[in-house]
Amino acid sequence: MDILSKLTNFYAAWQAGLSASDHLTLLAVGFVLMIGAVAALLWARSRKDPKSEPIRESFTDSRAVHVPGERHVVDRQKGDAFLRRIDKMA
């Protein structure tokens, strides 16, 4: 905790020594860095090959696909599917 208090005191002393123009300069540098980061992310995203990612359709555009199998047969039968399978294995 001694290191944390030393760093807090050092930051407070450094900040007290700054003038208003220094604060504005640091604010401007911060804004430029944030804008640069957003621009870099947009640039990196625009450089991706659009063909490399699959096209995602919305849920309303997707069609139901019929998959033949047991689960469609089970829907038509009554009773517990687990017990029916055990009876079938016996």
Side-chain angles (χ1 to χ4, degrees):
M1 294 306 272
D2 187 40
I3 295 172
L4 184 60
S5 63
K6 283 183 182 179
L7 287 174
T8 305
N9 292 336
F10 174 73
Y11 177 72
W14 174 76
Q15 192 178 17
L18 294 177
S19 65
S21 64
D22 294 335
H23 283 287
L24 287 176
T25 303
L26 289 174
L27 181 70
V29 168
F31 277 129
V32 167
L33 289 174
M34 285 189 291
I35 291 171
V38 170
L41 287 172
L42 291 174
W43 180 65
R45 188 171 183 151
S46 69
R47 289 182 49 106
K48 284 186 181 177
D49 187 18
K51 295 177 185 173
S52 65
E53 293 186 19
I55 298 173
R56 297 180 183 163
E57 297 177 355
S58 65
F59 289 114
T60 57
D61 294 342
S62 61
R63 289 177 273 158
V65 178
H66 176 71
V67 179
E70 184 181 354
R71 82 181 127 142
H72 298 289
V73 175
V74 171
D75 289 339
R76 292 186 215 125
Q77 298 175 358
K78 293 182 179 178
D80 188 11
F82 178 74
L83 294 176
R84 201 170 39 252
R85 286 187 184 129
I86 289 181
D87 289 340
K88 190 176 182 181
M89 288 176 18

